[in-house]
Each structure stands twice: as structure tokens, then as C-alpha cells.
Amino acid sequence: LLAACDKSFLFPEFHETQNGVGSKNPPPDPCLTAVCPTNSTCENGKCQCYLGFEGPLCSTGYADKFVGIYQGSDTIDGDIWITIAPLKVTKIDNQNIKIENFGGFQSYIYAKIEKDTFNAPTADKIVIDFTDPAARYFNGNGLLKNGDIHGIYTVTYNDGYMETYTFTMERL
């Protein structure tokens, strides 16, 4: 009695087919017939966008959907602070943005855009890890949802004093 098994480890030139019959011909490469858009590559027969790109045609940079003007508000110890000047988000490259007037600090920060989870279809997470020109260190994260950004950050002043805020950036 012979048991069915994959014999390719015994005979490297032997390849198992879908119906269990052996063949000396290797299976066709599924990427040979795939037509992938610009900013992508084929992996196992499926088009995968390069890092920093998303969308059905891999033509949208992660940062593109964050660009705009926002009204900001920060909350600390139950007090809500509304920024007087609007926040302006500009694209640095496909994965990085600049936020002017973040937290009402009359300065700017840079933030990175990434996927919230490895398999997320879009990059909606903002990661803050930046020291501004006034030597204040900002560290935190947020998520883009329905056009607005919500998150939390800590600012460490140059004397070591720290404050933690929750923030909302509502698109105007």
C-alpha cells in the first residue's frame, strides 16, 4: 500500500501537481501573466503596492489623504484647548507630513504615516516622534477616521516637564 505524499523533497526535479500527479516541469510562475500598476510589484500572483502607496492602482501616497486645513483641539486634565489658528497639513513625501501649529504651539512637527496593522488596506495611522525648533519633544500617535484625526501625544519641554494631551484635528 503506497501513501500519497509530496515527493519533491526526494527528487528535486519532481513537482507535485494539483491533481496529485507528478511532473518534471515546475509549476508556472503566477507573476508571469500578472500586470501590476506602477508603484507595485507581483508577489505570488498578486500585485502589492510599494511601501508608501495604496489604492487599487497603487497611485495614492499614504500622506495624500491627510493634506488639508484642520481645526485643532487638545484636552488635558479635562480642559479643552481650541487652537486659534488652523492647523495646516502638507505632504513631505508619501509617508511623511508636516503639521503647522500642532497643539497651538505656534510651531510645526513632522509625523510619519503608516498602516495601523500589517494587513490594513490603507495607512491611516499618524506617528509623532519629533523635536520642534523650540526644543520641545513630541511623541504620540493618532488615527484618521472620516477625514478627522484623533489621537494622543506627550510633549516634553526642554526643562524635562511633560504634559500628555488627547487631540482632535477636524478637517475644515
Side-chain angles (χ1 to χ4, degrees):
L1 181 67
L2 295 173
C5 65
D6 180 4
K7 299 163 197 68
S8 61
F9 72 96
L10 294 173
F11 307 101
E13 72 281 358
F14 187 87
H15 301 279
E16 196 78 32
T17 62
Q18 286 182 342
N19 64 5
V21 177
S23 169
K24 284 191 172 189
N25 299 324
D29 182 350
C31 288
L32 290 177
T33 57
V35 179
C36 294
T38 304
N39 304 319
S40 70
T41 188
C42 182
E43 294 177 12
N44 299 317
K46 294 183 181 180
C47 296
Q48 300 291 324
C49 296
Y50 292 142
L51 184 64
F53 292 93
E54 62 188 17
L57 298 177
C58 300
S59 60
T60 304
Y62 288 176
D64 292 344
K65 63 185 163 281
F66 287 84
V67 173
I69 304 296
Y70 296 82
Q71 175 64 58
S73 64
D74 291 7
T75 304
I76 183 170
D77 298 328
D79 294 328
I80 299 174
W81 299 87
I82 307 293
T83 56
I84 296 170
L87 288 76
K88 181 180 179 184
V89 177
T90 54
K91 176 180 172 178
I92 302 302
D93 58 36
N94 285 329
Q95 293 178 269
N96 295 285
I97 57 174
K98 177 181 180 180
I99 306 174
E100 296 177 46
N101 199 35
F102 183 76
F105 284 95
Q106 304 298 315
S107 187
Y108 64 87
I109 63 166
Y110 290 111
K112 183 175 182 175
I113 308 302
E114 59 186 41
K115 292 184 176 187
D116 189 32
T117 61
F118 180 75
N119 291 324
T122 60
D124 295 328
K125 183 177 181 180
I126 177 174
V127 178
I128 304 164
D129 185 13
F130 184 76
T131 301
D132 77 355
R136 296 172 292 216
Y137 173 64
F138 294 82
N139 182 281
N141 61 72
L143 287 174
L144 178 70
K145 186 174 182 181
N146 298 323
D148 299 335
I149 305 168
H150 304 272
I152 187 167
Y153 71 93
T154 298
V155 59
T156 304
Y157 299 92
N158 52 11
D159 64 0
Y161 182 72
M162 297 170 60
E163 293 179 313
T164 299
Y165 296 86
T166 57
F167 71 92
T168 298
M169 294 170 54
E170 296 178 6
R171 189 180 298 269
L172 298 177

